Each structure stands twice: as structure tokens, then as C-alpha cells.
Amino acid sequence: MDGIFMQIKSYDIALDIDFKNDSYTGKETIELVNDGEPVILNSNGINIQEIRVNGKKNSFGVGEAEDDIALQGVYSGDLRIDISFSNKVSESLMGFYVAKTQDGKKMLTTQFESTGARMAFPCFDHPAMKAEFRVSMTVDNNLECISNMPVESKKRSGRKITYVFMKTPKMSTYLLYFGVGEFESIEDNYKGTKIILTALKGKLNTTTFPIEVAKKSLDLFSNYFGINYALPKMHLIAVPEFAAGAMENWGAITFREIRILCPESVGEATKRSIAEVIAHEITHQWFGNLVTMKWWNDLWLNESFATFMSIKVIDHFYPSWDRFGVMLLSRTKAALKGDSLESSHPIDVDVRDPESVAQIFDEISYGKGGSVLRMIEAYVGEDNFRKGISKFLKDHSYGNAEGQELWRSLEEVSSLPVSKIMSSWIRKKGYPVVYARRSGDRIILKQEQFLLTGKTTNEIWPIPLTVLREDLQESLMMDSPEIEIDADKFIKLNYRETGFYRVFYEGDLLRNILSRSAELDSYDIFGLLDDLYAFLISGKLKLSDFLESIRNFHERREMVVILSLVAVYRSLYRLIPSRDDIITQARGYLNSVIQWIDSTNISSDHNYKVIRGEVYTLLAELDDSFAGKLSSRFPTIFEEDPNIRDAIAVAFARTGNSLDMLLSSMEKATSDEDRLAFVKAMGYLRGEKNAENVFKLIDEGRIKKQDFIFYFLSLSMNPSTRDIAVSSFPGILERINRVFAKSGRASSIIYRTAPILALTNEVRITDLLRKIKTPSNEIGVNKALETFMVYKTFVSSVNA
């Protein structure tokens, strides 16, 4: 929809819900102003019984798309549309759906982004068609209802109770929320705003840590943006089955249980993830909810900004956690990999079909977008960045805006050419590699596009270069194919990895940097390591030279460096598991880290708890002796450090090969973190019979709908079970398409698993990908096929 020809004023939605039978009836009134254009609503799978326009019955029909409802007649001016409808609650994790626990409890909840609202009630399901919403829900007396706003009134009638909610501010349909169940809550208050942490009764297994993070986030953002939080309350709702990690419904934020409930016994990585996800979703209450994108092509701005700002919150309140380092390890690293494919997409992608929107909730929208914002903040300065964001939000509150309007705000306050720079970075896919070589007393810098295939293009980016010298850091703009800089006291480019580009140092420059690596910041080591790995995979570097180079970093003890090395060794093992030189070097390094942690007084530090868990898990995969010793702790796993329970479960699966024991422990677990550890470990069980039994558990609902993907990821990544993963792939995709309909999850899983699986059975996997390719998964399929060819070339070269 290129233009908006009508103004939606309000929705009045009344639902009468049959909780037992997962169905409901609805009556709604939509008030709007039209200028004579066709009136087309969105409705997917809903039984519409009657539509009246200004009191007169309307003979409606199906529009051009199957979920379009076209009203008969031409209407101008004020309209009132009354609709009666009925519907079943969705069995997928989209729309108005049922979410169940493993012990038989359930709630009804919603997931409307991007096109789920039309599955729940007829509406104008477009982000720019904002309206006020008044919601009421009639349910059994024992049930409670939650929506975006506080309850205005309750009215009992026999065995039923009707909850009427206050009217919302103007907002998009994808932010509306309905929740029904038997709940329990913890409440707190931030400057008059109620903060309510809610879960199903008996499932609120948490400390108050999530509420503390929410209060800190509200405080920081209110001050940072110069705008107070707009609603009188904020629910944080734990949902037992949920397709995403969380969803920013205005005033009623939903989360996977593992992303919001924080029990006393929780791993440090999970705790920091809880904090980051809460901060991310609360960022959206301003950036996304208060001001919303006009269309889905600017989805990246919502997600990348929330990604970047959530890191700021955690870094401010928990600086020792090094969240910007973790952002490099997770978001930036994944984005640099994904965007080095010809099948990548621009940040600002052309979205014509809203059904394809879900595919772009990916490493480009979150990771590249967040990394580019970090680069722009470094370019304009932190204070100018904050002022520009605040101006943008104030100028467009309760409305819609485009990314270019944000760039103009940043440009106005900084007097720098932000629009020009951002246009290049967000509208072109890919990114540059800068080649650096010494020539006398000068260093020649040349840029070209970096692609893992080894190809390149003539594309040129305006790169805000940062140069680290012995006595200073300097900044300059590289907006031409080649420039020269002074070689005097030069150490490296891309200081602290603030830029989204790679650097290839030729000859003596690389040797000099490696020899001085002890002087470098941990973020700089991350950049060197990640760049070297990319050059290895793309054929620019020999494996022997790579392994020799990274040994220079083995003595570094910062979390970012250790976890970078763990990731590199894990990736190499999965690609070429038969290489003894890789396994021997990895084992030696991992054992040295364990000895260091055990011999020093740092084992209680947050970061080193995270390191311990990652190192133990990889060593349990690579070292049978270590796995045997670790698996002996399985009988007391719930008494062990929560940070190493994943490793213990993997070690037990590899050595004990007992599904019964893993299942028994999973069913005893009281937290999603622990349950998920056992599900992931099941992917290390050998034998097709074990796999058949795990799939039965999935189909019976004994493993949560949202969690079976993690089983398949383990099955695919583990070299000893990869044959089973290949044969299971069609069935997994069918389950994903059924459970995660309209979520883009199939595209993501195809990209993550198919390239590895194709190394085991090229013909079967590549033929399957070409057969199943559709508009809803084509991004994942194309990236998977290209990544496989990159891996195939690399594996062939190192095994030659």
C-alpha cells in the first residue's frame, strides 16, 4: 500500500471468549474518514457474519489478496463500520493463540507483528493506519484479562465477567494485545507508572531482577529522550510458548519465559540476556510505539535502534558485563557474515508483500543496523546523537515517520552529512574491505566490496575510518576507492571496531600488528580475529597461517577475546571435524583457559562464569576424556553451577546416550533455562531410534513448540548426528511452517542449518531447498545455497 487514503479514528472491540474450547465471538466498531477510495479490510481465517456501514448491511467480497475484505460501494466522509465475527484461537504461535505449559495449564495470548492482527479481528492491518483502541473481553469468572491499558471497569454476569479497558493512545494494529488466563503477578511502581510482572499461576519462578531492569530502563530512556513513558502501566508477561524472544506490545510486553523469569539459580548468560531483552522491548515503547515506521521497509530502524539502545542501558547500569563486547560477538559478527553474501539484502529493503516482512527480522535488521548506528554515533558524537534522537521522537510523537527523517534530525544537530552517509550504508547490501599496504612512509588504503565467494564489485562506501597510532586516534572519511595516510606510528585501522567494515593487512603490517597484539584493546583483537576467519573461509588466507596467527591471542584473558576464539574453534570443528590439527590446538587452548579460571580468584565474576560455560561445552564436544569426567556430575546436575549445566547435559548425552535420563531430568526442571539445556543435549544422542523418540515427544507436546528448533540445531551442528539431521530436515521444516506460521522462522533455520547439512549430503539438501523455495523463505534458501558453496570450496581447499 503506497499511500494512505483514509484516517482510522478508533476501534471498539468486544470479544466473548470460550476459554475451554479455544474459540470466541466478536463485535467491533471502526470509525474512520475516507475520501472515496475503496474500503478494504484485512481478515485471515475469520468467520465474518455481518458488516454494516453507517447502519446499512454491506455485501462484502474478497479483494485482490486472499486476506482482503472489500466492502461494496463508494464512501466519503465519516464512516462507522460494525462487524460481527467468530473465530477459533490459532494453533500456531501467531495471531490470537493458545500457549500451553507442559503440565496442562494454558493462556490465550497474541502475537500480531507483522500481520497477525488480521488473524484475530478484521482490521486495517497497516503500520501507518494508527487508531485509538477500546477493548473489552468477556471470560469465565476465574480468568483474568490483560490488554495494553489498565482495566477501567469489571462487570460480573452469572459465571462470566467482562473486563473493559481504558482507551489506548493512537497506535498501530500490530501493537495491540489480548491476554487471558489464571495469572499471578509481582507489582512495583516507577514515578506513578505501575510495572507488573505476570505469569500463569504457579509459574512465576523469579526474583525481582526483571522489574529492577524495567525501572532502570524507564528512568534512563525518559531522561535520554526527554520524553516520559506514555502509558499508566507496563505489563511484563511471561508466555509459556512464544515464537519470538519478546514482543513490544505497548504497555503489555510479552516474553518467552526464559527471557523474563529470573530465578535465583540462573546462568549469567541467561541473566544478562533477560536484562538486554527487557531493555530492548522498553526502547520500543518510544522508538516503534510512540513513533512508528510508515512501512515495513523501515523495520530495521525499529529493531536496530532498540538493539543499540538496550546495550547502552546494560552498559550504563552493569558496566562490568561488557555488553558492547557481547554486541560485537553476537550481533555484529553475525551481520558481517550474512552481509558478505551476494544473496544478502540492504538494511532498507523494498517490502512489497507484508507476508515477506518476517524474513527480514534477521541479522541485517538487528545486527548490521545496530552496528551502523554505533558507527554513526561515533561519527557525530554521543551528545549530538542523543539530541537528534530526542528531536525526532518529539517531532513525530503518536505518528509515523521514515528513516530519512531521523537522519535529517541528526544532521540538523550535528551539521554533518549524515543523510549522505546513511543512504549508502542502508540502501546498498554488503560492506567494504579495506586493503592496507605500506609503501615507503605512506600506507595505501584501497576499498572494495567483501564477499565470501571471493568475488567483488565496484561499489564504494563512505567509510568513517578510525586510525590507531602509538600516540593518538584520528578519524577521516574514506569516500573514494583509494587514499593514502601517513605510516608514522601506525598500529591499526578501525579502532575498537566502531566501523562496519573489514581490514586486510598485507605483509609487514599484519606481522607488526600481531607482534603488538598485547597492546591492543580487546575489541580490536575481536576485529582482527573475525576478519582473519572471514579471509580464511573466503580463500584469502591459508589454514596453517590462520592457526599460527590466532595463537598470538591465546594468552589474552578478556571475555570478548576468549569467546571469539571459542566461536572460531567451534566453527572450524563443525566444518572440518576430521582435522586433528584444529582439534589439538583447540583442546590445548580450552584446557589452558579452564586451568587459568580454576587457579585464580575470579570464578565468581559474571564474565568468567559465562566463559566457563562456553569453554566447558565446546571441550565436552571435542574431548572424550573431559566429557566422561563431566558426565559423572549429571546425577547432581541441579546442584551444579547453572552456567555449566548445558555442558554437563551435552557431556552426558555424548557418553551416556540415554534419552530416558535426559527426558526425566527435563521434566523435573523448574526453569526454561534448564529444560532447554536437556532439549539441546538430545541433539547429541546417537542413533535413529533416539531421534524418532524425540520427534514423538515434540509431536505429543512434551517438548514445547518453541523449543524443538534447538534440538534440530544441535542435531545439525553435531558431526556424529548429521546424517540423522539430513533425513529429518523435511519433517522439521513442515513442523516449523505449521507452528511458526508467518514468523520467518523457517527462513532463519534453513540459513543456519542447510549449508552444514549439505556438506553431508549435497544432492538431497540442495534439491530439497530448490523445491521448497517460496516468497516466505526465499531469503533463507538463497543464503543457504550460497553459504554451502562457500563452505564446499573452503573444505575442498583445506582437505586437498
Side-chain angles (χ1 to χ4, degrees):
M1 187 179 290
D2 295 323
I4 304 299
F5 303 104
M6 62 183 72
Q7 176 191 349
I8 314 301
K9 293 182 178 179
S10 65
Y11 291 80
D12 195 317
I13 303 168
L15 304 179
D16 192 335
I17 297 166
D18 183 347
F19 189 77
K20 180 180 179 181
N21 294 306
D22 296 333
S23 64
Y24 60 99
T25 59
K27 292 183 181 296
E28 71 174 311
T29 297
I30 309 173
E31 294 190 352
L32 63 141
V33 179
N34 192 36
D35 66 355
E37 291 294 322
V39 179
I40 300 174
L41 290 138
N42 301 117
S43 177
N44 187 334
I46 300 170
N47 176 28
I48 297 179
Q49 294 149 351
E50 183 180 76
I51 297 180
R52 289 182 175 270
V53 180
N54 291 338
K56 294 182 180 180
K57 191 170 181 178
N58 187 276
S59 298
F60 56 90
V62 178
E64 292 183 7
E66 63 181 1
D67 57 359
D68 284 351
I69 301 297
L71 303 192
Q72 297 299 309
V74 178
Y75 301 97
S76 295
D78 292 334
L79 297 183
R80 173 183 168 130
I81 303 175
D82 293 292
I83 307 174
S84 300
F85 61 94
S86 62
N87 201 9
K88 292 288 291 182
V89 171
S90 174
E91 293 183 1
S92 74
L93 302 181
M94 179 65 76
F96 190 20
Y97 73 92
V98 59
K100 299 177 181 178
T101 66
Q102 290 167 298
D103 58 1
K105 296 184 178 182
K106 72 174 186 179
M107 67 181 290
L108 305 185
T109 187
T110 57
Q111 172 60 33
F112 287 163
E113 189 177 32
S114 53
T115 58
R118 68 189 66 182
M119 297 171 65
F121 64 99
C123 58
F124 297 96
D125 203 7
H126 188 294
M129 301 179 84
K130 285 190 166 186
E132 297 173 337
F133 292 83
R134 182 178 285 276
V135 173
S136 67
M137 289 182 265
T138 300
V139 296
D140 297 330
N141 274 333
N142 63 309
L143 299 172
E144 182 182 347
C145 297
I146 302 171
S147 192
N148 306 78
M149 296 293 285
V151 174
E152 185 174 77
S153 67
K154 300 179 193 177
K155 183 179 180 181
R156 293 182 182 274
S157 178
R159 295 182 178 179
K160 292 277 193 173
I161 182 170
T162 298
Y163 285 77
V164 178
F165 295 90
M166 295 168 61
K167 184 171 61 178
T168 72
K170 282 180 64 177
M171 67 182 200
S172 304
T173 49
Y174 79 90
L175 297 170
L176 191 62
Y177 181 72
F178 312 143
V180 182
E182 294 185 74
F183 300 119
E184 61 178 303
S185 301
I186 301 172
E187 292 191 17
D188 206 332
N189 189 285
Y190 170 76
K191 294 185 177 179
T193 298
K194 273 190 177 181
I195 302 174
I196 309 163
L197 177 57
T198 297
L200 285 170
K201 279 188 178 177
K203 302 298 178 182
L204 195 59
N205 178 23
T206 186
T207 62
T208 59
F209 177 73
I211 288 182
E212 293 164 12
V213 173
K215 290 170 69 175
K216 289 175 177 178
S217 299
L218 284 172
D219 185 64
L220 187 144
F221 292 141
S222 295
N223 289 303
Y224 187 91
F225 300 134
I227 304 170
N228 290 329
Y229 174 66
L231 303 190
K233 64 94 175 173
M234 177 186 289
H235 263 94
L236 310 172
I237 306 163
V239 179
E241 292 184 307
F242 196 64
M247 175 62 205
E248 66 266 21
N249 315 299
W250 208 353
I253 306 171
T254 45
F255 301 81
R256 282 193 181 194
E257 291 174 328
I258 196 173
R259 294 290 174 256
I260 188 63
L261 301 180
C262 186
E264 291 286 354
S265 178
V266 67
E268 293 298 322
T270 298
K271 186 175 183 179
R272 74 186 187 190
S273 179
I274 288 169
E276 187 176 326
V277 172
I278 291 169
H280 180 107
E281 302 308 324
I282 291 178
T283 306
H284 280 310
Q285 306 302 296
W286 284 267
F287 209 101
N289 298 7
L290 182 66
V291 179
T292 310
M293 63 209 158
K294 285 185 178 178
W295 184 234
W296 297 108
N297 62 296
D298 275 324
L299 166 73
W300 78 273
L301 194 53
N302 270 14
E303 297 306 336
S304 59
F305 187 80
T307 297
F308 181 60
M309 289 304 300
S310 66
I311 301 298
K312 278 187 168 292
V313 170
I314 306 309
D315 190 59
H316 179 78
F317 291 109
Y318 309 99
S320 66
W321 289 8
D322 191 12
R323 292 311 291 164
F324 276 106
V326 176
M327 178 182 174
L328 290 174
L329 285 165
S330 55
R331 300 295 195 186
T332 303
K333 181 182 179 72
L336 285 166
K337 177 187 175 185
D339 210 30
S340 57
L341 299 171
E342 293 178 77
S343 49
S344 183
H345 62 82
I347 293 178
D348 186 352
V349 65
D350 184 18
V351 179
R352 297 187 180 275
D353 175 12
E355 293 297 312
S356 66
V357 171
Q359 286 188 91
I360 60 173
F361 284 82
D362 63 3
E363 74 280 357
I364 304 300
S365 292
Y366 287 80
K368 182 179 181 181
S371 300
V372 168
L373 288 177
R374 180 172 178 252
M375 182 169 69
I376 287 298
E377 184 194 52
Y379 176 61
V380 303
E382 290 189 19
D383 192 51
N384 281 334
F385 187 80
R386 182 193 63 76
K387 288 177 180 176
I389 296 297
S390 178
K391 182 181 187 304
F392 169 78
L393 291 173
K394 288 175 180 177
D395 288 348
H396 300 284
S397 290
Y398 301 103
N400 297 84
E402 295 177 312
Q404 60 189 6
E405 292 166 297
L406 174 58
W407 317 140
R408 283 197 289 267
S409 293
L410 291 169
E411 205 160 57
E412 285 178 29
V413 300
S414 69
S415 300
L416 291 169
V418 176
S419 296
K420 178 183 176 182
I421 295 170
M422 289 305 294
S423 178
S424 292
W425 283 97
I426 69 174
R427 291 184 180 153
K428 289 192 291 193
K429 65 182 179 182
Y431 60 88
V433 54
V434 176
Y435 290 92
R437 63 179 176 85
R438 182 185 290 273
S439 178
D441 61 355
R442 308 292 287 170
I443 292 177
I444 312 300
L445 304 179
K446 177 185 176 182
Q447 67 157 300
E448 62 182 39
Q449 184 174 3
F450 177 73
L451 292 167
L452 283 172
T453 58
K455 301 176 184 177
T456 190
T457 69
N458 294 322
E459 293 284 0
I460 299 298
W461 282 261
I463 309 174
L465 284 180
T466 49
V467 183
L468 176 65
R469 300 187 185 277
E470 292 175 5
D471 52 355
L472 57 85
Q473 298 94 42
E474 60 181 307
S475 301
L476 65 152
M477 183 62 65
M478 181 179 183
D479 54 7
S480 60
E482 187 173 307
I483 63 172
E484 294 183 14
I485 61 173
D486 192 343
D488 185 47
K489 299 182 180 179
F490 174 84
I491 298 179
K492 75 178 291 288
L493 297 174
N494 203 6
Y495 175 59
R496 302 201 83 224
E497 293 304 297
T498 54
F500 195 78
Y501 57 93
R502 297 195 185 278
V503 184
F504 188 95
Y505 299 98
E506 299 182 16
D508 289 344
L509 285 179
L510 177 60
R511 286 189 287 273
N512 181 60
I513 291 170
L514 292 176
S515 69
R516 304 181 64 166
S517 61
E519 304 171 31
L520 297 180
D521 177 272
S522 62
Y523 293 6
D524 287 311
I525 298 296
F526 160 82
L528 284 169
L529 183 55
D530 197 56
D531 287 353
L532 288 169
Y533 183 72
F535 300 145
L536 168 70
I537 297 299
S538 63
K540 297 180 185 297
L541 192 64
K542 293 181 180 178
L543 177 61
S544 57
D545 291 339
F546 174 77
L547 292 175
E548 180 183 355
S549 293
I550 67 174
R551 284 197 292 271
N552 287 278
F553 312 138
H554 276 198
E555 299 305 313
R556 296 294 293 259
R557 292 299 180 241
E558 302 95 331
M559 178 181 68
V560 170
V561 178
I562 293 173
L563 295 187
S564 295
L565 284 162
V566 168
V568 162
Y569 285 126
R570 181 187 291 118
S571 296
L572 285 175
Y573 171 65
R574 288 172 175 170
L575 287 173
I576 37 179
S578 60
R579 290 289 299 235
D580 289 339
D581 52 347
I582 294 171
I583 293 174
T584 299
Q585 182 164 316
R587 284 176 182 164
Y589 172 67
L590 297 171
N591 276 305
S592 72
V593 174
I594 290 173
Q595 291 170 9
W596 170 70
I597 291 176
D598 290 345
S599 65
T600 55
N601 191 30
I602 58 167
S603 58
S604 62
D605 179 271
H606 165 88
N607 292 336
Y608 293 101
K609 287 182 179 180
V610 174
I611 290 170
R612 190 168 177 238
E614 291 290 324
V615 169
Y616 270 47
T617 301
L618 182 55
L619 196 56
E621 289 188 55
L622 299 182
D623 191 321
D624 290 343
S625 175
F626 180 79
K629 293 175 184 176
L630 196 58
S631 67
S632 67
R633 299 160 75 169
F634 187 78
T636 58
I637 190 168
F638 295 114
E639 300 168 21
E640 299 287 346
D641 175 3
N643 298 282
I644 64 168
R645 289 177 191 166
D646 276 54
I648 294 171
V650 166
F652 177 77
R654 288 193 65 238
T655 58
N657 204 43
S658 171
L659 174 59
D660 288 343
M661 291 286 286
L662 289 172
L663 177 61
S664 174
S665 297
M666 184 192 78
E667 293 181 334
K668 290 176 186 175
T670 58
S671 73
D672 257 21
E673 180 184 31
D674 285 339
R675 279 188 287 270
L676 196 55
F678 299 117
V679 172
K680 289 187 287 189
M682 290 175 187
Y684 291 84
L685 296 171
R686 299 178 303 282
E688 292 187 3
K689 189 64 177 176
N690 275 327
E692 289 173 11
N693 288 330
V694 173
F695 284 115
K696 285 180 183 177
L697 295 173
I698 293 167
D699 294 336
E700 292 168 358
R702 294 173 73 181
I703 292 175
K704 286 186 178 185
K705 290 178 184 178
Q706 67 187 28
D707 291 341
F708 74 81
I709 285 174
F710 293 97
Y711 165 69
F712 185 67
L713 287 171
S714 293
L715 199 70
S716 302
M717 297 302 119
N718 178 17
S720 65
T721 57
R722 211 164 276 164
D723 284 336
I724 300 172
V726 168
S727 61
S728 304
F729 197 39
I732 282 289
L733 291 180
E734 186 277 326
R735 288 175 175 87
I736 291 172
N737 286 326
R738 174 164 33 89
V739 173
F740 298 95
K742 299 179 182 292
S743 71
R745 190 55 60 93
S747 181
S748 171
I749 294 301
I750 287 167
Y751 170 47
R752 292 176 68 181
T753 60
I756 288 284
L757 297 181
L759 290 173
T760 298
N761 193 322
E762 176 179 354
V763 173
R764 185 169 182 179
I765 295 299
T766 56
D767 284 353
L768 176 64
L769 292 183
R770 293 184 180 101
K771 287 176 184 175
I772 65 167
K773 184 176 175 180
T774 66
S776 65
N777 66 23
E778 64 181 342
I779 290 177
V781 169
N782 291 338
K783 288 163 67 175
L785 289 169
E786 184 180 353
T787 302
F788 162 64
M789 291 308 299
V790 170
Y791 287 169
K792 180 182 178 182
T793 302
F794 166 69
V795 171
S796 298
S797 69
V798 298
N799 287 335

